[in-house]
């Protein structure tokens, strides 16, 4: 048998690696992971992310770790570098820094200095790769000094600087805005999201509670303070006392168990201030923030959602569960290079689903239910659930009869033809609707009042399985005017019917492609009503 050396095509390989699914936040965090390791020893990390004088975005990540000499840096720049990772290191595959960086920039330069060694720098340039193949560029001392001077950077006795230039996709977004103000707002939003993301994923390091020790991170000169997913500084946060059989899951052949802890956050009214309530939300809407917060080596790698163990529920949104994975268990969880996917082992999946979730959710529902006390609306519309059910079912069934229902494995939408003059128009029907028709009952068409995020006026809430109801926001100022200020049963009935119609139109037509349009419609409608009320027009 003959051995044949098969070298991958360089441009195609890099293009594939740039499509691993990194967003900006996870990319910056993946670079920082390399600074926070026993070998690197970085304790102070500075991130600069802003538009430079030539209106191009630049990202710089600098640490005060031990740095690398020429041979070490050249190896670190190689794809699949033969780095020796300590079990507790945040890096793992020898790919993260390169793939994370090149997912956003066309030019990646890494400058490093080890004590008693000369400063060194290497560069991957996508345009050069397309022309010349697998050629890593090494900068000479003059080029390094010129680059540092132009960026106003110094490296000291040791440390590493990662520099992203030509952030093609983000630069295109900036240039697409019609005014400089809108472009600045876009960049500001990116920075704020990045700041909160770093405060989240490294909150144990920023607190000094990680095994690695305390780490300081700055973004554009601002010292980042930890964001606690469990709001433990709030006096009304409840940490549940889990018994050992609930809080630990041991796997055969492994020393360290998975550790579980659970918290029930306060309701909005239970937070010390409105600002604290807004802060407690984090990067996700309150309803999306419920569920699991998964850590590996004290670094938060996944947050929010129940990972298939249950559906999200408005009544469970106060529940947050911490899950700690020791790195020795990596093979069981199949963590991807960009940490965007974690697969729960079957033993842990069923433990959470059948044992932990019921206990925690019961506590969360009790606190949520208590917050709903006093939100009562009495009108004839809400008393006729069977009629609402019949009318809604007739509408959904009439359209479903004309639908071509695909296999759920092959698609998540059914195309429904509707005559429109001489031609046909098409709308997309969620396959959830067909499940809904199969499992529907009068309870599925309930309409209620509840407190949730300010800038939403109504939402469809999952109850259990394929069961849904329409929820109207009792915290919205419009609600106070219509429902609480003596508008009368007839007025509240009309608005109940209107919100019910909006919600079921959304339920039937929304899919993954147009979901953002529905969310934007609801957000703008809510904000407009808030402003009209603020200006006393309503």
């Amino acid at each position: 048998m003959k051995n044949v050396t098969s070298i991958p095509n360089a441009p195609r390989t890099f293009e594939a690696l740039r499509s691993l699914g990194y967003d900006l936040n996870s990319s910056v965090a993946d670079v920082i992971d390399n600074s926070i390791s026993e070998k690197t020893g970085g304790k102070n990390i500075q991130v600069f992310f802003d538009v430079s004088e030539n209106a191009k975005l630049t990202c710089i990540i600098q640490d005060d770790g031990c740095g690398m000499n020429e041979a070490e840096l050249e190896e670190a720049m190689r794809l699949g570098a033969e780095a020796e990772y300590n079990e507790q290191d945040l890096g793992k595959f020898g790919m993260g820094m390169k793939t994370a960086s090149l997912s956003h920039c066309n030019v990646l330069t890494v400058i490093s200095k080890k004590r008693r060694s000369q400063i060194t720098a290497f560069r991957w340039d996508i345009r050069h790769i397309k022309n010349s193949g697998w050629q890593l560029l090494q900068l000479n001392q003059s080029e390094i000094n010129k680059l540092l001077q132009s960026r106003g950077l110094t490296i000291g006795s040791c440390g590493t600087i990662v520099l992203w230039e030509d952030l093609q996709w983000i630069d295109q977004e900036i240039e697409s805005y019609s005014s400089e103000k809108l472009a600045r707002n876009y960049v500001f939003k990116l920075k704020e999201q990045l700041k909160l993301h770093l405060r989240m994923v490294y909150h144990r390091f920023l607190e000094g509670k990680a095994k690695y020790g305390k780490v300081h991170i700055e973004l554009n000169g601002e010292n980042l303070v930890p964001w606690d997913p469990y709001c433990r500084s709030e006096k009304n946060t409840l940490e549940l006392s889990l018994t050992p059989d609930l809080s630990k899951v041991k796997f055969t052949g492994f020393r360290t168990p998975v550790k579980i802890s659970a918290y029930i956050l306060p309701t909005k009214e239970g937070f010390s201030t409105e600002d604290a309530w807004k802060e407690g939300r984090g990067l996700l809407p309150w309803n999306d923030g419920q569920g699991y917060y998964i850590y590996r080596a004290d670094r938060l790698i996944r947050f929010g959602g129940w990972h298939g163990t249950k559906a999200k529920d408005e009544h469970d949104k106060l529940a947050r569960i911490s899950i700690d994975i020791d790195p020795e268990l990596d093979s069981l969880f199949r963590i991807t290079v960009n940490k965007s996917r974690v697969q729960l082992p079957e033993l842990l999946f069923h433990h959470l689903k059948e044992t932990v979730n019921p206990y925690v959710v019961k506590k969360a529902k009790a606190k949520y239910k208590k917050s709903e006390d006093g939100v009562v609306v009495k009108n004839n519309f809400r008393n006729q659930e069977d009629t609402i059910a019949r009318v809604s079912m007739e509408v959904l069934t009439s359209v479903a009869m004309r639908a071509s229902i695909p296999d759920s494995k092959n698609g998540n939408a059914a195309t429904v033809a509707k005559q429109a003059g001489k031609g046909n128009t098409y709308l997309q029907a969620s396959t959830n609707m067909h499940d809904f028709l199969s499992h529907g009952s009068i309870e599925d068409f309930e309409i209620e009042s509840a407190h949730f995020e300010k800038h939403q006026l109504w939402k469809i809430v999952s109850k259990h399985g394929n069961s849904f109801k329409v929820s109207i926001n009792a915290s919205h100022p419009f609600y106070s005017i219509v429902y609480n200020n003596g508008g009368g049963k007839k007025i509240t009935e009309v608005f109940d019917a209107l919100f019910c119609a909006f919600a079921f139109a959304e339920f039937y037509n929304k899919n993954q492609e147009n979901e953002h349009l529905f969310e934007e419609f609801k957000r703008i409608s809510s904000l407009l009503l808030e402003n009209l009320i603020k200006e006393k027009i309503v």
Side-chain angles (χ1 to χ4, degrees):
M1 186 178 294
K2 182 180 179 181
N3 291 325
V4 178
T5 300
S6 179
I7 301 174
N9 177 277
R12 286 183 176 272
T13 300
F14 273 94
E15 200 60 39
L17 293 173
R18 299 177 84 187
S19 305
L20 284 176
Y22 279 98
D23 59 22
L24 176 67
N25 296 338
S26 60
S27 292
V28 173
D30 229 351
V31 175
I32 292 176
D33 284 349
N34 289 292
S35 300
I36 304 176
S37 71
E38 185 176 305
K39 181 179 179 180
T40 305
K43 295 292 185 180
N44 296 284
I45 298 160
Q46 295 176 308
V47 180
F48 176 83
F49 179 81
D50 216 335
V51 176
S52 58
E53 292 181 359
N54 61 359
K56 298 295 184 182
L57 201 65
T58 300
C59 184
I60 301 169
I61 303 163
Q62 181 170 3
D63 68 56
D64 65 346
C66 65
M68 292 170 278
N69 59 31
E70 180 180 317
E72 290 169 335
L73 179 56
E74 181 180 355
E75 175 61 26
M77 293 293 282
R78 189 159 68 93
L79 297 179
E82 291 184 4
E84 293 184 6
Y85 288 103
N86 181 279
E87 192 176 68
Q88 296 296 322
D89 286 351
L90 304 185
K92 179 174 170 59
F93 298 102
M95 299 284 285
M97 186 266 289
K98 282 81 70 177
T99 54
S101 300
L102 293 169
S103 293
H104 299 282
C105 69
N106 285 323
V107 181
L108 166 64
T109 306
V110 181
I111 308 167
S112 194
K113 185 179 185 306
K114 200 169 186 175
R115 293 186 189 276
R116 295 180 293 277
S117 293
Q118 195 173 38
I119 193 168
T120 184
F122 286 88
R123 172 181 292 164
W124 283 116
D125 186 324
I126 294 300
R127 291 183 175 85
H128 182 76
I129 290 168
K130 288 180 179 178
N131 294 326
S132 305
W134 293 99
Q135 289 193 1
L136 177 65
L137 302 173
Q138 182 175 12
L139 281 65
N140 60 38
Q141 293 300 306
S142 174
E143 291 169 328
I144 295 172
N145 293 334
K146 183 178 179 180
L147 179 59
L148 290 174
Q149 186 176 7
S150 68
R151 298 291 181 183
L153 297 171
T154 56
I155 203 166
S157 60
C158 62
T160 300
I161 298 172
V162 177
L163 170 62
W164 298 358
E165 295 177 287
D166 191 9
L167 279 74
Q168 179 181 350
W169 312 118
I170 298 179
D171 283 339
Q172 287 178 4
E173 294 287 351
I174 294 172
E175 292 169 1
S176 71
Y177 284 96
S178 57
S179 72
E180 185 180 343
K181 181 179 179 180
L182 291 174
R184 284 201 307 269
N185 288 341
Y186 168 71
V187 174
F188 176 80
K189 183 178 178 181
L190 289 179
K191 287 188 288 188
E192 288 300 300
Q193 290 178 339
L194 175 59
K195 178 169 69 175
L196 183 51
H197 183 81
L198 297 180
R199 291 175 57 209
M200 288 174 63
V201 300
Y202 297 111
H203 76 88
R204 290 183 179 176
F205 295 85
L206 297 171
E207 292 167 354
K209 295 180 180 179
K211 293 178 183 177
Y212 178 79
K214 190 175 180 62
V215 173
H216 298 274
I217 302 177
E218 290 184 5
L219 175 61
N220 291 0
E222 178 184 351
N223 188 48
L224 300 188
V225 296
W227 179 84
D228 179 11
Y230 318 108
C231 303
R232 283 168 289 193
S233 63
E234 292 293 318
K235 66 177 183 179
N236 291 320
T237 291
L238 174 64
E239 180 175 1
L240 300 182
S241 180
L242 301 182
T243 58
D245 61 311
L246 282 177
S247 63
K248 293 182 180 179
V249 178
K250 188 80 166 61
F251 293 90
T252 303
F254 295 91
R255 302 185 311 274
T256 311
V258 170
K259 298 176 183 178
I260 302 168
S261 54
Y263 303 83
I264 308 300
L265 274 60
T267 62
K268 181 180 180 181
E269 294 75 15
F271 272 89
S272 54
T273 65
E274 184 167 350
D275 285 342
W277 173 75
K278 292 177 180 177
E279 173 82 358
R281 166 185 160 176
L283 271 177
L284 302 174
W286 271 103
N287 207 41
D288 293 335
Q290 63 183 271
Y292 305 142
Y293 287 69
I294 303 177
Y295 298 80
R296 177 189 179 274
D298 289 316
R299 196 262 212 207
L300 184 61
I301 58 174
R302 295 293 297 155
F303 50 89
W306 298 94
H307 288 247
T309 62
K310 67 179 293 296
K312 286 185 294 186
D313 190 314
E314 173 73 17
H315 301 87
D316 306 339
K317 69 181 181 182
L318 303 178
R320 293 182 180 177
I321 297 174
S322 168
I323 301 175
D324 271 274
I325 304 170
D326 190 271
E328 77 154 330
L329 302 174
D330 282 353
S331 60
L332 297 177
F333 287 84
R334 301 180 188 178
I335 300 170
T336 55
V337 174
N338 64 354
K339 304 178 181 71
S340 65
R341 182 176 176 272
V342 178
Q343 183 172 317
L344 300 180
E346 283 296 298
L347 178 62
L348 178 61
F349 180 92
H350 289 289
H351 176 73
L352 292 168
K353 180 178 181 179
E354 298 165 9
T355 309
V356 177
N357 288 358
Y359 176 75
V360 175
V361 165
K362 182 179 179 180
K363 300 287 186 181
K365 286 184 184 295
K367 180 171 279 194
Y368 184 93
K369 184 64 178 175
K370 189 174 181 180
S371 75
E372 286 185 310
D373 291 347
V375 182
V376 178
V377 174
K378 295 181 179 180
N379 63 39
N380 191 49
F381 185 86
R382 297 195 181 195
N383 293 333
Q384 299 193 59
E385 292 178 352
D386 54 343
T387 305
I388 302 171
R390 177 179 55 79
V391 172
S392 302
M393 188 71 79
E394 287 173 357
V395 172
L396 295 177
T397 305
S398 67
V399 184
M401 288 176 65
R402 302 195 300 275
S404 173
I405 306 174
D407 188 319
S408 60
K409 294 181 179 179
N410 298 324
N412 61 0
T415 303
V416 184
K418 178 182 178 184
Q419 292 296 326
K422 295 181 180 179
N424 289 327
T425 60
Y426 296 92
L427 62 143
Q428 297 296 314
S430 166
T431 53
N432 283 340
M433 184 272 292
H434 300 284
D435 295 332
F436 181 74
L437 292 177
S438 301
H439 300 88
S441 69
I442 62 170
E443 294 180 356
D444 299 325
F445 298 86
E446 180 183 347
I447 187 164
E448 66 162 14
S449 298
H451 292 283
F452 46 90
E453 294 90 334
K454 181 179 179 182
H455 298 308
Q456 291 191 60
L457 192 47
W458 79 91
K459 64 168 67 174
I460 299 177
V461 180
S462 170
K463 292 173 67 181
H464 52 79
N466 294 304
S467 177
F468 297 88
K469 62 182 174 182
V470 182
S471 189
I472 304 174
N473 190 1
S475 297
H476 196 284
F478 182 79
Y479 184 96
S480 298
I481 289 178
V482 173
Y483 290 88
N484 292 343
N485 286 350
K489 289 186 177 181
K490 183 58 65 178
I491 296 296
T492 60
E493 285 175 6
V494 168
F495 278 101
D496 273 355
L498 184 63
F499 289 132
C500 191
F502 282 157
F504 277 94
E506 174 190 351
F507 172 79
Y508 181 73
N509 289 285
K510 187 165 72 173
N511 56 47
Q512 289 182 347
E513 294 181 357
N514 64 24
E515 180 178 5
H516 68 285
L517 298 177
F518 283 97
E519 295 305 316
E520 189 69 1
F521 167 71
K522 289 194 289 186
R523 187 183 71 85
I524 292 174
S525 300
S526 174
L527 287 172
L528 177 59
L529 284 171
E530 286 180 35
N531 290 334
L532 291 174
I533 292 167
K534 184 178 181 180
E535 298 295 330
K536 298 183 179 179
I537 295 175
V538 177

